[in-house]
Amino acid sequence: MIESSDLRMTRIPLNHGAGHMPALGFGTLIPDLAVTITATRDALEAGFRHFDCAERYRNEREVGRALQAGLAAGGITREDIFVTTKLWNSNHRPERVEPAFEASLDRLGMKYLDLYLIHTPFAFQPGDEQDPRDKDGNVLYDRGVTLLDTWKAMESLVDHGKCRAIGLSDITLDDLKPIYEAARIKPAVIEVESHPYLPEMELLDFCKQNSIVFLAFAPLGHGIKPGPLEDPVISAIAARVGKTPAQVMLAWAVQRGTALLTTPRTAARARENFDISALPQDALDEINRIQTRQRLNPVVKTGVGGFLAKGTGA
Ligand SMILES: NC(=O)c1ccc[n+]([C@@H]2O[C@H](COP(=O)([O-])OP(=O)(O)OC[C@H]3O[C@@H](n4cnc5c(N)ncnc54)[C@H](OP(=O)(O)O)[C@@H]3O)[C@@H](O)[C@H]2O)c1
């Protein structure tokens, strides 16, 4: 059962009794380190309690510092927040998984993680180079490890108690099914691009049937224009209900049963993106009838991140 008397407080249960994920999440894919710190602090102050990090973002240390300071200043405990980070593609070899996890934990300054995700299903050449390429610029993939090998190492992290739940990111339904079937510890969460132009209904249905949390990244279409934020259906609903287009899109995401990650960079936008309220059914139906389809981030096909119009990495 999703807990949601107030949409802003919606918390979605994780399988295996691993607690609840606050549906409204703050994403830390912010290249500027100073902005990472202020935006993380502003998000915490605005009410966000779910923080999505990644080794790949190269800012776990700054997110960790902002969170420690914010928790202390706000009288908030570690148990009150939900923190995720992700294993990067160059650490898929089973023997590299625990050291990568421990390094992330150390950078974040935390004793445990609520969720650890395999960032993409694509294994790159193992090593410290996050973006290994041959002399012609082609990505060097690692054919010597399967996603299931990596998943088994992720399961060991849960066994050892430093990580409450595990999951996958940038995964398609075709790749998720075999892992789900073979897993001893089933994926608790998948994190994928989703917004009104990419509703991923088949994947969402599979997740609902199997108690996997569907966590949507780019719920505002990454702010790319033209994009769903400027869709006339969204603008008309926003005007009708007295909310902003961003608030309409975030409410739609939560009301259809997904968690989401948004990246407001200023205090005003953090407050705006947290201040959502339920849309009437006719508004939800109108958004569900939008026919435009657009994938903005090709990472799901290659393991190489980057929003097409902004190039900010996965
Ligand atoms: N697993 C993966 O491979 C993967 C890939 C991508 C992202 N993610 C995660 O998902 C998070 C969210 O993704 P995202 O940054 O694309 O989310 P998003 O919220 O769809 O897009 C964020 C952009 O939208 C604009 N924006 C934010 N609030 C707004 C508002 N109220 N009104 C108008 N525009 C607004 C901002 O653009 P400006 O500030 O530039 O104006 C911001 O940079 C990331 O931080 C990361 O944690 C994961």
Side-chain angles (χ1 to χ4, degrees):
M1 266 290 286
I2 292 177
E3 297 175 8
S4 66
S5 52
D6 173 344
L7 214 54
R8 297 170 305 172
M9 301 301 155
T10 304
R11 286 155 33 94
I12 307 177
L14 299 172
N15 59 24
H16 298 289
H20 289 74
M21 170 186 276
L24 277 177
F26 172 75
T28 65
L29 176 49
I30 303 174
D32 185 296
L33 298 180
V35 178
T36 299
I37 292 175
T38 55
T40 303
R41 186 201 60 207
D42 292 341
L44 190 68
E45 277 180 20
F48 285 90
R49 293 292 178 267
H50 166 182
F51 297 84
D52 178 80
C53 313
E55 169 188 356
R56 175 63 169 159
Y57 303 162
R58 298 179 184 274
N59 62 0
E60 289 172 308
R61 217 173 280 285
E62 287 70 24
V63 175
R65 282 191 198 140
L67 286 177
Q68 313 304 340
L71 295 186
I76 303 163
T77 69
R78 169 67 183 89
E79 288 290 320
D80 293 332
I81 62 170
F82 186 101
V83 182
T84 303
T85 199
K86 312 187 195 83
L87 178 85
W88 184 240
N89 301 353
S90 47
N91 286 322
H92 276 214
R93 293 261 168 165
E95 68 276 13
R96 297 185 67 86
V97 171
E98 189 165 0
F101 172 84
E102 291 290 346
S104 280
L105 212 54
D106 182 58
R107 285 188 293 268
L108 286 163
M110 294 188 175
K111 294 194 174 66
Y112 71 92
L113 280 178
D114 298 278
L115 175 65
Y116 198 45
L117 299 174
I118 300 179
H119 200 144
T120 87
F122 298 88
F124 288 0
Q125 176 181 278
D128 293 335
E129 173 55 59
Q130 287 192 344
D131 192 22
R133 305 269 173 160
D134 67 13
K135 59 180 174 24
D136 299 319
N138 301 307
V139 174
L140 291 168
Y141 291 99
D142 179 3
R143 310 289 176 200
V145 59
T146 67
L147 191 57
L148 188 56
D149 296 334
T150 309
W151 186 258
K152 288 180 179 163
M154 299 282 284
E155 292 176 329
S156 300
L157 296 177
V158 179
D159 294 337
H160 297 163
K162 284 189 172 177
C163 174
R164 294 185 173 171
I166 48 176
L168 298 142
S169 173
D170 299 322
I171 191 96
T172 60
L173 186 52
D174 283 348
D175 287 337
L176 174 60
K177 279 179 177 168
I179 292 291
Y180 182 82
E181 292 302 327
R184 174 171 62 84
I185 300 177
K186 304 295 180 197
V189 177
I190 60 153
E191 179 178 319
V192 293
E193 178 182 338
S194 189
H195 40 71
Y197 287 1
L198 193 65
E200 296 279 30
M201 284 313 302
E202 214 186 331
L203 188 55
L204 178 57
D205 286 345
F206 181 84
C207 287
K208 286 184 175 174
Q209 281 157 20
N210 294 289
S211 302
I212 301 171
V213 177
F214 181 110
L215 174 58
F217 77 73
L220 302 178
H222 197 57
I224 290 170
K225 294 172 184 170
L229 252 181
E230 293 186 324
D231 190 282
V233 171
I234 304 288
S235 314
I237 293 170
R240 206 163 76 219
V241 301
K243 287 285 188 180
T244 67
Q247 289 168 330
V248 167
M249 288 170 66
L250 300 179
W252 169 80
V254 177
Q255 284 179 267
R256 77 190 192 111
T258 75
L260 63 86
L261 297 167
T262 176
T263 317
R265 293 174 205 235
T266 63
R269 276 202 170 158
R271 287 192 294 272
E272 174 186 340
N273 291 4
F274 192 74
D275 184 25
I276 60 169
S277 46
L279 299 172
Q281 188 59 47
D282 61 343
L284 299 174
D285 293 342
E286 281 175 52
I287 299 172
N288 290 334
R289 282 197 296 269
I290 291 174
Q291 294 295 321
T292 310
R293 291 292 171 262
Q294 188 178 17
R295 183 183 291 284
L296 300 163
N297 194 321
V299 62
V300 71
K301 296 190 179 112
T302 61
V304 180
F307 281 100
L308 296 176
K310 287 190 172 177
T312 47

